[in-house]
Amino acid sequence: MSNPQQLRYSKEHEWLATSENVATVGITEYAANALGDVVYAQLPEVGDTVTAGETCGELESTKSVSDLYSPVTGEVVAANQDVVDDPSLVNSAPFEGGWLFKVRVTEEPADLLSADEYSALSGN
């Protein structure tokens, strides 16, 4: 399992890709594997304000329910309806079609990790 080098990661196992002050957020392959088969996704809605490190939704799998944390602060500008309709995308394509939501970033924490730092944290 490799973590894409161009992404940044949170200690809560979310990844983000930022372009023009909008961050696309998802969970890592490591987190998706740990969750098991995702069967339900509750995502923040467009217009919601999310805060770095705080709960903004949840993912339910055949094993457990896990809170979804935002790695940045800002306003949600998109939620991935494909994941709501087919939550298994979180497992099958965590870094592509399984993205969860997009945020217009107003604050980005300093403790986001590089791919190598995240790999060391997650042990993969």
Side-chain angles (χ1 to χ4, degrees):
M1 173 178 353
S2 74
N3 299 303
Q5 292 292 317
Q6 74 276 17
L7 302 178
R8 284 172 296 141
Y9 301 85
S10 75
K11 293 177 182 169
E12 288 79 24
H13 308 287
E14 284 86 23
W15 60 262
L16 68 150
T18 306
S19 175
E20 297 183 22
N21 212 35
V22 173
T24 301
V25 177
I27 67 166
T28 64
E29 185 175 8
Y30 172 83
N33 289 339
L35 271 174
D37 294 333
V38 177
V39 296
Y40 174 76
Q42 177 197 357
L43 305 179
E45 295 181 11
V46 172
D48 286 355
T49 299
V50 293
T51 303
E54 293 190 8
T55 303
C56 62
E58 70 179 28
L59 297 173
E60 184 177 327
S61 73
T62 54
K63 291 182 183 180
S64 67
V65 175
S66 179
D67 286 334
L68 176 62
Y69 296 91
S70 180
V72 294
T73 299
E75 180 184 345
V76 176
V77 296
N80 190 346
Q81 187 62 42
D82 290 342
V83 165
V84 173
D85 294 341
D86 181 6
S88 69
L89 287 171
V90 171
N91 299 103
S92 64
F95 295 114
E96 295 91 23
W99 64 272
L100 301 175
F101 60 96
K102 295 183 181 190
V103 178
R104 182 170 292 109
V105 178
T106 58
E107 184 181 335
E108 191 171 286
D111 65 349
L112 293 173
L113 306 171
S114 69
D116 293 337
E117 291 167 331
Y118 179 74
S119 293
L121 172 78
S122 61
N124 64 33

